[in-house]
Amino acid sequence: MQLSMLLLVQAASTFAVSLHRGKHHSPRPSIVTYPHHPTVPNQPSPPRTRVCYVESHNDSVTDDSPYILSALHACNNGGHVIFDASTKYTIGTALDMTFLRSIDIDIQGYIQFTNDTDYWQAHSFKQIFQNATTFFELGGEDVNVYGGGTLDGNGQVWYDLYAQDIYTLRPILFGTVGLHAGTISNLNLIYSPQYYNWVANSSNVIFSDISITGFSSSNNTAKNTDGWDTYRSDGITIQNSVVNNGDDCVSFKPNSTNMLVQNMHCNGSHGISVGSLGQYAWETDYVRNIHVYNVSMSNATDGARIKVWPGAPSELSADLQGGGGKGAVTNITYDTFFVRNVDYAIEITQCYGQKNTTLCKQNPSALTISDVYFRHFQGTSSKKYLPLVGNLVCSSPDVCSDIYASDINVVSPNGTDLFTCFNIDQSTVDVNCTDLDLGYN
Ligand SMILES: *[C@@H]1O[C@H](CO)[C@@H](O)[C@H](O)[C@H]1NC(C)=O
Ligand SMILES: *[C@@H]1O[C@H](CO)[C@@H](O)[C@H](O)[C@H]1NC(C)=O
Ligand SMILES: *[C@@H]1O[C@H](CO)[C@@H](O)[C@H](O)[C@H]1NC(C)=O
Ligand SMILES: *[C@@H]1O[C@H](CO)[C@@H](O)[C@H](O)[C@H]1NC(C)=O
Ligand SMILES: *[C@@H]1O[C@H](CO)[C@@H](O)[C@H](O)[C@H]1NC(C)=O
Ligand SMILES: *[C@@H]1O[C@H](CO)[C@@H](O)[C@H](O)[C@H]1NC(C)=O
Ligand SMILES: *[C@@H]1O[C@H](CO)[C@@H](O)[C@H](O)[C@H]1NC(C)=O
Ligand SMILES: *[C@@H]1O[C@H](CO)[C@@H](O)[C@H](O)[C@H]1NC(C)=O
Ligand SMILES: *[C@@H]1O[C@H](CO)[C@@H](O)[C@H](O)[C@H]1NC(C)=O
Ligand SMILES: *[C@@H]1O[C@H](CO)[C@@H](O)[C@H](O)[C@H]1NC(C)=O
Ligand SMILES: *[C@@H]1O[C@H](CO)[C@@H](O)[C@H](O)[C@H]1NC(C)=O
Ligand SMILES: *[C@@H]1O[C@H](CO)[C@@H](O)[C@H](O)[C@H]1NC(C)=O
């Protein structure tokens, strides 16, 4: 940055400070991971020494992105950026915020992304995997985001557009990409067009006290609204959060390692999922060392789930196809789940996208599953798969091993507690298995 430019930015932020006398900055929340801790302890984050306020047109229309970028640049390397409470910020430009270093972003106000679907489809950040795109990319080192404010993805236009065209590229609300060491906490995320959080190429990040919600107000449901998807990331903690959505509550995509998820309330979701994995035949996916603890799961398709594509190409829908990818899922613990109105309390499938079990078994998955522990589950399933409450389906005994289930007390509304078990060692799973194919894959 040129000196004159720098002075201008500093002058602007000094001016902003004087304008906002009386406004306060939120103390950085002290985040405690409890009762479990990430494998790598959180790095200390030094206190910030400068304050920058983000200006706003506050008119719900004009793009405030230039103000946001200038505040971030002015306060990068040791500052505290404030989005005022009672102020609305409109974002109409895809923001590359991967340059952040030692900065706190204090979002007290309301941030809304514009409804310009043409602009966003052309400019949002492409994440390659499953055609995912994000409104912004936030990354760098030692970044804390908090403040109690709201990010609003203006999802309704997207839910309606997707109903007309499944190839619509719906942006993810919160893109954490290439962030190493940081915390994201005390935020409300609402009406995301697609997933709420995408965490890629990142390490040692804690998400805590996040509230997620947003239902469609038309007859077009909000689809693929995963709470979190992690990808090519290590040491991510997600805790103490409430998720009301319509797809995975948390999902560990390819190359997610050393993940901790604890104290979650999920409603309306597809469960806490490993996968889907093995979708791309030319890729190798690893998911290892995952600990999920203390989850209440209501009105969901699944509680704890591992979904792997089979060895041959399959199709789930026109815009979701795959199979044949290699890799391994290993050392996964799902401990302490309270389920209510959940279709399957526990599900392992290596036949994702292939409803025909015969075809699935003919082409066993090239992605192995081993050392999986399900412990302490209680509650009731839904009626959807009566008399079943769970599903443990491997495509071959050779690619599935050391699956354990203990203290599983989940019954259907009819009092039954059956699991479908295919190609799995039944001596280590303390559930009532049936090997009848009820056609529910
Ligand atoms: C933004 O507008 C709201 C009302 O629409 C007002 O309460 C608030 O004070 C405004 N913020 C600023 C910084 O002017
Ligand atoms: C898009 O947002 C603009 C500005 O807030 C508003 O005037 C317009 O009605 C919105 N369009 C739709 C389709 O929601
Ligand atoms: C992550 O890093 C890899 C390797 O540098 C890069 O190819 C990729 O585009 C980055 N982003 C994502 C989302 O994987
Ligand atoms: C998304 O990816 C699939 C392959 O899985 C591809 O067939 C499709 O055309 C892609 N594009 C969109 C916009 O969905
Ligand atoms: C949703 O569909 C129902 C029945 O098809 C219809 O009666 C209702 O008006 C629709 N609601 C909206 C918001 O479009
Ligand atoms: C839970 O999700 C259901 C839809 O599955 C919804 O009707 C209900 O309002 C949600 N509960 C809360 C507290 O948001
Ligand atoms: C996952 O990691 C392995 C090795 O660590 C690498 O070979 C593979 O390409 C990665 N896969 C993805 C999808 O990034
Ligand atoms: C399994 O994962 C947990 C974290 O969930 C970790 O503490 C443990 O060391 C891992 N075990 C092995 C054998 O890697
Ligand atoms: C589950 O959904 C029902 C309505 O569909 C709702 O009354 C209930 O509150 C939901 N459970 C939770 C925990 O939100
Ligand atoms: C499943 O695939 C097998 C083998 O191709 C075929 O014989 C059978 O009819 C299929 N079953 C169904 C229900 O489509
Ligand atoms: C479940 O119980 C209800 C009421 O007792 C009964 O009508 C229904 O047939 C049962 N369903 C199954 C699949 O057992
Ligand atoms: C399985 O079924 C038997 C007999 O129906 C029952 O006694 C037992 O409690 C059930 N549950 C498990 C986990 O074995």
Side-chain angles (χ1 to χ4, degrees), residues 41-302:
N42 210 13
Q43 316 281 318
S45 178
R48 310 308 186 207
T49 54
R50 311 193 304 288
V51 175
C52 305
Y53 288 90
V54 183
E55 292 297 295
S56 168
H57 296 91
N58 201 21
D59 64 2
S60 300
V61 179
T62 317
D63 186 14
D64 293 313
S65 298
Y67 290 145
I68 296 172
L69 282 178
S70 75
L72 291 174
H73 281 292
C75 256
N76 207 19
N77 299 298
H80 183 142
V81 170
I82 298 176
F83 290 76
D84 271 348
S86 80
T87 297
K88 183 164 174 184
Y89 298 84
T90 301
I91 299 184
T93 304
L95 291 177
D96 178 352
M97 303 186 284
T98 53
F99 59 87
L100 302 174
R101 289 276 174 288
S102 302
I103 186 169
D104 280 21
I105 302 176
D106 180 358
I107 302 173
Q108 301 173 26
Y110 188 92
I111 298 177
Q112 188 178 51
F113 294 84
T114 60
N115 60 18
D116 185 346
T117 53
D118 291 336
Y119 170 81
W120 289 111
Q121 291 197 78
H123 294 95
S124 56
F125 295 95
K126 296 196 165 39
Q127 307 295 331
I128 319 295
F129 182 78
Q130 288 186 347
N131 302 322
T133 67
T134 59
F135 279 128
F136 61 80
E137 291 189 327
L138 183 145
E141 232 175 280
D142 180 22
V143 179
N144 303 299
V145 187
Y146 51 84
T150 298
L151 277 80
D152 177 350
N154 223 332
Q156 192 62 51
V157 285
W158 296 98
Y159 312 147
D160 294 336
L161 194 60
Y162 184 70
Q164 289 166 25
D165 176 8
I166 57 165
Y167 298 106
T168 303
L169 291 174
R170 298 157 293 161
I172 290 164
L173 183 56
F174 203 113
T176 303
V177 179
L179 176 60
H180 303 285
T183 63
I184 295 164
S185 67
N186 299 83
L187 293 174
N188 302 297
L189 307 183
I190 64 175
Y191 301 113
S192 182
Q194 213 198 163
Y195 316 157
Y196 280 85
N197 285 281
W198 168 252
V199 186
N201 285 1
S202 294
S203 63
N204 307 322
V205 179
I206 299 176
F207 291 85
S208 192
D209 301 276
I210 305 288
S211 161
I212 287 177
T213 191
F215 293 101
S216 172
S217 56
S218 72
N219 279 344
N220 304 315
T221 49
K223 296 228 173 99
N224 311 108
T225 49
D226 302 20
W228 278 265
D229 276 30
T230 62
Y231 181 66
R232 295 178 170 168
S233 291
D234 181 70
I236 310 299
T237 297
I238 299 167
Q239 65 171 17
N240 305 347
S241 295
V242 178
V243 179
N244 282 286
N245 70 342
D247 207 314
D248 295 328
C249 185
V250 178
S251 178
F252 308 105
K253 301 295 190 212
N255 290 11
S256 294
T257 50
N258 301 305
M259 302 286 169
L260 170 61
V261 173
Q262 61 187 348
N263 316 326
M264 303 290 290
H265 283 280
C266 308
N267 172 46
S269 81
H270 292 180
I272 311 262
S273 301
V274 170
S276 64
L277 302 178
Q279 181 174 0
Y280 302 114
W282 56 92
E283 284 192 356
T284 308
D285 302 339
Y286 294 106
V287 173
R288 280 197 280 268
N289 308 344
I290 308 287
H291 193 168
V292 181
Y293 176 78
N294 188 24
V295 175
S296 88
M297 181 68 69
S298 308
N299 301 313
T301 64
D302 291 271

Side-chain angles (χ1 to χ4, degrees), residues 374-395:
F374 299 101
R375 301 190 184 110
H376 314 306
F377 278 60
Q378 55 175 286
T380 47
S381 70
S382 73
K383 289 187 176 166
K384 180 154 184 194
Y385 299 127
L386 275 177
L388 303 172
V389 300
N391 199 35
L392 298 169
V393 170
C394 293
S395 50

Side-chain angles (χ1 to χ4, degrees), residues 356 358-359 362:
N356 186 325
T358 311
L359 280 178
Q362 276 170 11

Side-chain angles (χ1 to χ4, degrees), residues 282-360:
W282 56 92
E283 284 192 356
T284 308
D285 302 339
Y286 294 106
V287 173
R288 280 197 280 268
N289 308 344
I290 308 287
H291 193 168
V292 181
Y293 176 78
N294 188 24
V295 175
S296 88
M297 181 68 69
S298 308
N299 301 313
T301 64
D302 291 271
R305 167 155 84 150
I306 299 177
K307 43 179 175 172
V308 169
W309 293 81
S314 313
E315 177 173 301
L316 198 60
S317 58
D319 62 338
L320 193 53
Q321 305 148 5
K326 292 179 281 297
V329 174
T330 191
N331 189 21
I332 314 292
T333 299
Y334 284 107
D335 184 354
T336 309
F337 271 62
F338 303 88
V339 303
R340 183 160 301 261
N341 191 27
V342 168
D343 299 343
Y344 279 142
I346 294 173
E347 177 172 20
I348 290 181
T349 180
Q350 273 178 327
C351 297
Y352 193 64
Q354 180 51 270
K355 287 191 167 58
N356 186 325
T357 314
T358 311
L359 280 178
C360 176

Side-chain angles (χ1 to χ4, degrees), residues 33-48:
T33 53
Y34 182 82
H36 296 286
H37 306 291
T39 8
V40 175
N42 210 13
Q43 316 281 318
S45 178
R48 310 308 186 207

